[in-house]
Amino acid sequence: MYTAKGQLDVNSMLKQYGPLVRRLAHQMIAKLPANVELDDLIQVGMIGLTDALSRFDVGQGIQFETFATTRIRGAMLDELRGGDYLSRGIRKHQRSIEVAVHRVEQRLGRPPVESEIAREMGLSLSEYQELLGKVRGTQLVYLEDIGCVGGDNDYLDRHECNDDAMSPMEQLQDDRMRKALVEAIKVLPERELQVMSMYYEQDMNLKEIAAVLKVTESRVCQLHSQSIARLRVRLRDH
């Protein structure tokens, strides 16, 4: 699209390719923790699209959409890395909680309460709850857990590398995984079950859930993180 002066009509191009940005953001958000906001990805993606418009050269012999897709994804990945949404430290903390949950559950034959998990980790209850707050938003399914890839590669590189691989959302749609998830959710402690239901089924945000449960938003974050740890332990064999 060009103006009467033969120049690229940026506004028209932004409008035409805006849906591309949103589509790429939705594809990426399915592979990311819950604390990554879709609107943030879209905003950054639009910046990437604008950059693509300014840099595109017809003489390169590639279609604009192909060129723009690369720039948009790159902008989103740069934003995620810069925001440290997916630090190795956070994943390490999440793993340590999962190990403690698994050990206590195996020993007691029931879902452990927070104080029991804290004691297993050598932490006070307040220290454990603070740790739960730090790992807020960690995702239910990591691709390395379901056989896509392995090793110590950067999370974003692993999750961006293969559009043909099943995303965590697609994996959850697998019948066996879905049934296992339903059964795992059924045995969550009541308060955690309420949080998961409101967050994922009713699409309520943390502030809204906190108001319903009459607790602080940080407490909802803790309950969500603990629920994720319990579910990941139970789903590991599926």
Side-chain angles (χ1 to χ4, degrees), residues 120-177:
E120 178 70 20
M121 298 181 70
L123 302 173
S124 67
L125 179 59
S126 61
E127 289 173 332
Y128 173 64
Q129 291 177 338
E130 182 179 352
L131 185 61
L132 286 173
K134 289 181 180 179
V135 301
R136 59 172 293 180
T138 47
Q139 63 269 39
L140 178 60
V141 178
Y142 297 138
L143 287 189
E144 67 267 32
D145 291 341
I146 57 179
C148 173
V149 284
D152 297 322
N153 296 332
D154 181 80
Y155 174 95
L156 292 171
D157 292 332
R158 293 198 311 270
H159 287 58
E160 173 65 11
C161 66
N162 188 355
D163 288 338
D164 294 328
M166 292 177 71
S167 72
M169 187 58 68
E170 291 168 333
Q171 176 67 17
L172 288 177
Q173 291 171 350
D174 174 78
D175 189 55
R176 187 171 62 130
M177 174 66 80

Side-chain angles (χ1 to χ4, degrees), residues 4-165:
K5 296 182 179 180
Q7 297 176 327
L8 195 65
D9 189 337
V10 175
N11 288 332
S12 295
M13 293 288 281
L14 287 174
K15 183 177 181 179
Q16 178 180 346
Y17 287 98
L20 171 64
V21 173
R22 289 188 287 274
R23 185 169 70 251
L24 293 173
H26 278 283
Q27 289 174 355
M28 191 172 291
I29 203 77
K31 306 174 185 179
L32 298 171
N35 62 317
V36 181
E37 296 289 341
L38 177 63
D39 288 345
D40 291 344
L41 280 185
I42 292 175
Q43 183 177 8
V44 172
M46 292 302 293
I47 295 174
L49 174 59
T50 303
D51 181 59
L53 288 168
S54 67
R55 295 174 180 271
F56 182 64
D57 181 0
V58 178
Q60 293 177 336
I62 61 174
Q63 294 183 344
F64 175 74
E65 183 168 334
T66 301
F67 179 78
T69 296
T70 300
R71 305 298 300 187
I72 293 166
R73 282 178 171 167
M76 291 177 179
L77 290 170
D78 286 344
E79 172 68 12
L80 290 167
R81 289 191 178 97
D84 195 31
Y85 290 104
L86 303 162
S87 70
R88 293 178 184 273
I90 292 298
R91 294 201 303 279
K92 183 177 179 180
H93 288 319
Q94 176 73 16
R95 302 286 192 188
S96 67
I97 293 172
E98 291 167 22
V99 169
V101 168
H102 179 69
R103 286 176 177 171
V104 180
E105 192 168 277
Q106 290 293 305
R107 188 164 64 244
L108 300 179
R110 60 168 173 78
V113 299
E114 285 176 292
S115 59
E116 292 167 336
I117 302 171
R119 188 160 52 249
E120 178 70 20
M121 298 181 70
L123 302 173
S124 67
L125 179 59
S126 61
E127 289 173 332
Y128 173 64
Q129 291 177 338
E130 182 179 352
L131 185 61
L132 286 173
K134 289 181 180 179
V135 301
R136 59 172 293 180
T138 47
Q139 63 269 39
L140 178 60
V141 178
Y142 297 138
L143 287 189
E144 67 267 32
D145 291 341
I146 57 179
C148 173
V149 284
D152 297 322
N153 296 332
D154 181 80
Y155 174 95
L156 292 171
D157 292 332
R158 293 198 311 270
H159 287 58
E160 173 65 11
C161 66
N162 188 355
D163 288 338
D164 294 328

